Amino acid sequence: MSVDTVSLTGWGRTAPTTAVRFRPRTHEEAAAAVRGRGPRGVIARGLGRSPGDAAQNAGGSVLDLTGLARIGGVDAAGAVRCDAGVSLERLLRVLLPLGWLPPVVPGTGRVTVGGAIASDLPGLDHRRSGSFARHVSALELLTADGEVRTVLPGTALFDATAGGLGLTGVILGATLRLRRVPTALMSVSTERAEDLDDLLARFTAGGDRLPYASAWIDLMARGRAAGRGILTRGEHATPDMHPAHAGRTLLAPLSGGARGRFRLPGCPPVPGGLFGPAPAALYNEVRYRGAPRARTGELRPVGTFFHAADAYPDANLLYGRGGLVRYRFTVGYGQEETLHRVVRRIAGRRDPAVRAVLQRFGAADPGGLSFAAPGWSLALDLPAALPGLARFLDDVDEEVAAAGGRVCLAKDSRMRPEAAAAMYPGLAGFQELRARLDPTEAFRSDLSRRLGL
């Protein structure tokens, strides 16, 4: 097991802190690192894709689990056991040629299985499938005493670990229930919406006939065009939808992977960010006008459909030296006016928002700190150095909380502890269980200290 001292940030590159990093190759090495932790505790870390500080531990230890990356065989029931350090991108590449797909596929493949469980990530079909941990039939959890437990769904420890941000222990591996897919292609529908009301109506008009759905919103459009966007929906293509000349690729490895990615080799962060308000508005205008008014039946590789953003792995460098803030919140159905107000407020500030994604969520998941709940979810990225951004987002926090909504903890880098307590009614129960299981607070992170988790 290698050990070094490093400065770490999340993908948003804000608030770097220094920790001792352990890189175990076996469960025994991981247990030794937990037992030998210092007074500042330890937290697990995967690929560092969380934009905030959930996988940082200032002055303490960080357990880098990317060396635990074994994938077992798929059994007859469609289940696979894999290590926590396996990325969803790699899992997809291994499973898709066999006709299987991970149970929930989020918007990036550059997240580990352990991170997907600890964040209880939702995918594009949450209304049908729920979040990631709902499809875990067992997980192996390294607890504060250095022992490895098998934890099953329906138990208090499982529910606290799902979405628990690594604070109940170190997830070492999991058994996942997979889904069968007929081909390695998606049949995709795209349509433009003129404003936010039009976009919400289009989301709901088709029901869940096409299970995967998300929309890009132009958060720089104002007036009658405020909230206009591009809605993309998809379903797994069947062989009869497939072009005859591509018959050999029915279950071929997905396209849109490492080859063809646009990288910025050795590129430092752009000092002031790539986009100011005027260039960002122009980019959004071109993107909106360049989308089809309506198109159905377009065939795309699975990887291109789900992980289009991974084609630009260095995009976080384009937000300036201060990094980026990812703000993701959800409000319930019936609270659309809150969503309207937030969209109008962001547009009114003229902040350079080029990434903004709207989704619909279904039934809440059992995890005490799981993010997804029935309603609308909006995620956006903004340069962290924007004047007045912290105060503005504090105000939005209050508006979201007043509407019964919540901000995603796994993405957060700046929320106040009182806001988190107001948004997550299960927080007190999570804290009580954690105090019983881990009275010495072996598992800590910069996020847990900042929010009092």
Side-chain angles (χ1 to χ4, degrees), residues 8-260:
L8 297 170
T9 71
W11 196 73
R13 300 184 299 103
T14 57
T17 56
T18 300
V20 177
R21 178 174 58 185
F22 294 85
R23 289 175 161 172
R25 294 287 179 178
T26 66
H27 289 190
E28 292 74 22
E29 289 182 349
V34 168
R35 286 193 292 265
R37 66 188 179 272
R40 297 282 287 179
V42 61
I43 195 69
R45 183 180 177 94
L47 292 168
R49 192 70 181 194
S50 172
D53 51 3
Q56 297 171 226
N57 186 20
S61 301
V62 168
L63 214 57
D64 182 331
L65 297 181
T66 53
L68 298 177
R70 294 165 297 181
I71 303 174
V74 180
D75 68 18
V80 65
R81 191 270 167 199
C82 54
D83 284 345
V86 174
S87 74
L88 297 190
E89 179 182 51
R90 179 168 167 245
L91 194 61
L92 197 62
R93 288 184 176 279
V94 170
L95 295 176
L96 195 58
L98 304 176
W100 297 101
L101 199 68
V104 167
V105 186
T108 175
R110 293 198 53 76
V111 62
T112 61
V113 167
I117 297 170
S119 302
D120 203 12
L121 288 179
L124 299 183
D125 65 338
H126 186 272
R127 284 173 57 83
R128 284 195 182 184
S129 300
S131 296
F132 196 90
R134 190 181 294 186
H135 305 273
V136 175
S137 56
L139 58 84
E140 297 145 40
L141 187 70
L142 174 60
T143 51
D145 55 9
E147 299 299 318
V148 179
R149 303 188 190 187
T150 299
V151 184
L152 301 178
T155 62
L157 182 54
F158 186 97
D159 289 347
T161 301
L165 304 168
L167 298 175
T168 62
V170 178
I171 299 167
L172 295 176
T175 301
L176 310 178
R177 296 186 297 272
L178 308 175
R179 73 173 51 164
R180 269 285 187 192
V181 292
T183 73
L185 292 179
M186 304 293 296
S187 177
V188 181
S189 166
T190 306
E191 53 191 302
R192 282 195 338 220
E194 296 180 353
D195 56 30
L196 186 56
D197 280 330
D198 186 25
L199 184 58
L200 300 184
R202 290 173 184 270
F203 249 114
T204 57
D208 292 324
R209 185 182 63 81
L210 299 179
Y212 302 100
S214 69
W216 170 79
I217 293 186
D218 181 359
L219 288 180
M220 301 204 70
R222 294 185 290 182
R224 289 188 296 179
R228 68 181 182 179
I230 303 166
L231 174 61
T232 303
R233 291 183 283 194
E235 62 181 334
H236 293 285
T238 57
D240 61 290
M241 300 177 184
H242 208 281
H245 68 273
R248 291 183 299 169
T249 66
L250 286 179
L251 289 171
L254 67 161
S255 302
R259 289 179 296 175

Side-chain angles (χ1 to χ4, degrees), residues 313-353:
D314 301 321
N316 59 338
L317 300 180
L318 303 178
Y319 287 81
R321 295 192 190 281
L324 68 91
V325 169
R326 177 162 295 169
Y327 190 75
R328 187 175 195 184
F329 70 93
T330 184
V331 292
Y333 298 118
Q335 295 293 332
E336 285 79 7
E337 183 52 39
T338 299
L339 180 62
H340 274 275
R341 283 197 299 270
V342 172
V343 167
R344 289 195 298 265
R345 291 182 65 182
I346 296 170
R349 277 177 53 93
R350 300 299 289 165
D351 289 335

Side-chain angles (χ1 to χ4, degrees), residues 11 13 258 260-271 273-275 309-320 324:
W11 196 73
R13 300 184 299 103
R261 286 182 175 172
F262 175 75
R263 285 192 173 272
L264 304 172
C267 175
V270 180
L274 179 65
F275 291 113
D310 287 350
Y312 304 92
D314 301 321
N316 59 338
L317 300 180
L318 303 178
Y319 287 81
L324 68 91

